[in-house]
Amino acid sequence: MAAAKPALRVPRGAEHAALLGIGAYRPSRVVPNSELVEAIDSSDEWIQQRSGIRSRRWATPEETVQMMGASAARAALEDAGVDAKQIDCVIVATVTHLVQTPALATMIAHELGTEQAAAFDISAACAGFCHGIALADGMVRAGSAGHVLVIGVERLSDITDLSDRGTAFIFADGAGAAVVGPSDVPGIGPVVWGSDGEQSELIKSRADWRDVLASPEPLMPHLVMQGNPVFRWASFAMAKIGQQALDEAGISADQLDCFVPHQANMRIVDALARSMKLPATVRIARDIAESGNTSAASVPLALARMKADGEARSGDTALFIAFGAGLAYAAQVVVVP
């Protein structure tokens, strides 16, 4: 009789995971609407009515994605009281690391002084940070990592067409980060995520790099977006995803303290709050007014501002919801660190 095969040994993870700290980096250059209006034949009033944006931050040449991501990560580590050597994995969500390989996460992990932490990038556009939080939550509870650093960082000014009236005023730069680690109580609710590839043409890069390089006059393949269909999809379809995330976490709207949606457009933020029938007691992130749409960085940047302004306090329940190119989306309820 053949000997029984030994059972694989599997790691024992933490019973629960939570956000332990949050950090942000905002580029030094403030760009008001007045700098953009001439090229798109527009006005400050029109931009504010359409998007709610008054100004945004654009990175200087020295403010690379690595520099911004590492700066936000250091702030998150300090907020969490966690040393870089305790980080077992670094996840970077970005679509603007314009080098095919190596992953930005590997370089940030080294710069921070982690002890050769696992490190990889994910590309889920504006939903990337929430995807990263879901992955980190699973790692900590499964035992494959004790502490995970999740970073969302973008330099969208590099891929924005400043003559495109539909997008020139929207996109911006910045970085946000969070440390995820073990907790005695649940701190991250079940993720509700998915994608709708049938509508992937609504937000996309204008050209394939192979076509760009074959052109006699290569130009950066900028982002393009069909604004009205995206607005309709995000305002209504994502409200259902947000409600599902509340249901999965066992939280009702009147038990929610903060709503931190992707800062895509102020009208979308307002429409989501109305569709979900959030009570007036729920404090809503409106970081887009001064930060613009920073894609994967927008949710952590918005939460960091709410904490700094006293609108979000440690122990509050907050609903994250993010959506973007793909069309990819993710939502989860978290406890504010």
Side-chain angles (χ1 to χ4, degrees):
M1 180 182 294
K5 291 184 178 180
L8 292 177
R9 185 176 297 169
V10 295
R12 294 176 61 86
E15 185 175 358
H16 306 296
L19 303 186
L20 305 182
I22 194 85
Y25 181 85
R26 300 177 191 275
S28 55
R29 183 185 172 200
V30 178
V31 180
N33 291 337
S34 58
E35 286 194 28
L36 307 177
V37 294
E38 184 176 352
I40 59 173
D41 188 25
S42 185
S43 67
D44 173 62
E45 181 182 18
W46 183 86
I47 292 174
Q48 290 199 48
Q49 287 178 346
R50 187 175 179 84
S51 67
I53 299 172
R54 295 191 291 267
S55 63
R56 75 284 293 138
R57 299 290 186 104
W58 284 355
T60 63
E62 294 76 23
E63 291 171 316
T64 64
V65 285
Q66 181 174 338
M67 177 268 183
M68 293 191 292
S71 297
R74 289 189 186 95
L77 289 167
E78 182 177 357
D79 189 47
V82 171
D83 189 89
K85 289 181 171 55
Q86 294 176 261
I87 296 298
D88 298 309
C89 183
V90 177
I91 301 172
V92 172
T94 186
V95 296
T96 49
H97 175 47
L98 301 181
V99 177
Q100 191 74 32
T101 194
L104 176 61
T106 61
M107 295 181 283
I108 291 179
H110 172 69
E111 180 179 337
L112 294 175
T114 69
E115 294 189 334
Q116 298 188 339
F120 57 91
D121 295 353
I122 57 176
S123 177
C126 306
F129 179 79
C130 292
H131 278 62
I133 293 298
L135 294 174
D137 172 53
M139 289 178 185
V140 171
R141 291 189 294 110
S144 60
H147 294 85
V148 181
L149 180 61
V150 181
I151 303 167
V153 58
E154 302 288 11
R155 267 183 58 123
L156 292 169
S157 58
D158 288 337
I159 58 173
T160 297
D161 181 353
L162 298 184
S163 65
D164 180 357
R165 199 166 193 263
T167 60
F169 59 90
I170 294 175
F171 298 121
D173 306 337
V179 176
V180 176
S183 173
D184 293 333
V185 295
I188 301 173
V191 67
V192 177
W193 53 1
S195 64
D196 184 1
E198 186 178 359
Q199 301 192 79
S200 60
E201 292 292 306
L202 296 184
I203 311 171
K204 66 176 186 176
S205 181
R206 180 173 282 161
D208 185 305
W209 276 110
R210 291 167 295 187
D211 297 331
V212 169
L213 295 174
S215 170
E217 296 183 8
L219 296 172
M220 177 68 75
H222 296 126
L223 281 179
V224 291
M225 179 172 65
Q226 297 179 40
N228 288 334
V230 170
F231 178 87
R232 290 192 296 269
W233 173 78
S235 298
F236 301 104
M238 290 301 98
K240 297 178 182 178
I241 299 302
Q243 184 59 56
Q244 190 176 344
L246 290 177
D247 294 343
E248 292 287 337
I251 297 291
S252 62
D254 59 1
Q255 294 173 308
L256 193 65
D257 296 305
C258 305
F259 180 40
V260 191
H262 166 46
Q263 302 293 288
N265 182 299
M266 194 76 81
R267 292 190 300 151
I268 292 176
V269 171
D270 292 339
L272 284 171
R274 287 194 303 271
S275 296
M276 293 179 64
K277 296 181 173 59
L278 297 183
T281 54
V282 176
R283 300 178 293 278
I284 301 174
R286 301 184 186 281
D287 189 45
I288 190 171
E290 282 81 34
S291 297
N293 179 341
T294 54
S295 186
S298 82
V299 167
L301 280 173
L303 179 59
R305 184 183 291 275
M306 291 187 81
K307 282 198 72 180
D309 291 346
E311 291 186 307
R313 296 178 289 271
S314 178
D316 282 353
T317 55
L319 172 62
F320 288 170
I321 181 168
F323 43 85
L327 298 167
Y329 57 86
Q332 63 259 102
V333 174
V334 304
V335 176
V336 175

Short mmCIF file of all heavy atoms in Angstrom, two decimals, residues 51 95 119 130 150 235 254 302:
data_model
loop_
_atom_site.label_atom_id
_atom_site.label_comp_id
_atom_site.label_asym_id
_atom_site.label_seq_id
_atom_site.Cartn_x
_atom_site.Cartn_y
_atom_site.Cartn_z
N SER A 51 -17.18 70.14 -13.14
CA SER A 51 -16.40 69.15 -12.40
C SER A 51 -16.25 69.42 -10.91
O SER A 51 -15.91 68.51 -10.15
CB SER A 51 -14.99 69.06 -13.00
OG SER A 51 -14.29 70.28 -12.77
N VAL A 95 -1.04 53.84 -13.20
CA VAL A 95 -1.04 53.67 -14.66
C VAL A 95 -0.04 54.61 -15.31
O VAL A 95 0.02 54.74 -16.53
CB VAL A 95 -2.44 53.89 -15.28
CG1 VAL A 95 -3.42 52.85 -14.79
CG2 VAL A 95 -2.97 55.30 -15.01
N ALA A 119 7.14 42.70 -3.90
CA ALA A 119 6.72 44.00 -4.43
C ALA A 119 6.23 43.83 -5.86
O ALA A 119 6.88 43.18 -6.68
CB ALA A 119 7.88 45.00 -4.39
N CYS A 130 -8.14 50.63 -4.15
CA CYS A 130 -9.11 49.75 -3.48
C CYS A 130 -8.83 48.29 -3.81
O CYS A 130 -9.02 47.41 -2.95
CB CYS A 130 -10.53 50.14 -3.87
SG CYS A 130 -11.05 51.75 -3.21
N VAL A 150 0.30 49.60 0.83
CA VAL A 150 -0.44 49.82 -0.42
C VAL A 150 -0.29 51.29 -0.81
O VAL A 150 -0.58 52.18 -0.01
CB VAL A 150 -1.93 49.47 -0.26
CG1 VAL A 150 -2.67 49.68 -1.58
CG2 VAL A 150 -2.09 48.03 0.21
N SER A 235 -22.50 57.32 -11.91
CA SER A 235 -23.48 57.92 -11.00
C SER A 235 -24.53 56.93 -10.53
O SER A 235 -25.05 57.05 -9.42
CB SER A 235 -24.15 59.11 -11.67
OG SER A 235 -23.22 60.11 -11.98
N ASP A 254 -27.08 54.69 7.76
CA ASP A 254 -27.12 55.58 8.92
C ASP A 254 -26.07 55.22 9.97
O ASP A 254 -25.89 55.95 10.95
CB ASP A 254 -28.51 55.64 9.54
CG ASP A 254 -29.01 54.28 10.01
OD1 ASP A 254 -28.27 53.29 9.88
OD2 ASP A 254 -30.15 54.21 10.50
N ALA A 302 -7.91 61.63 -0.46
CA ALA A 302 -9.16 62.19 0.08
C ALA A 302 -9.32 61.84 1.55
O ALA A 302 -9.72 62.68 2.36
CB ALA A 302 -10.35 61.70 -0.73
#
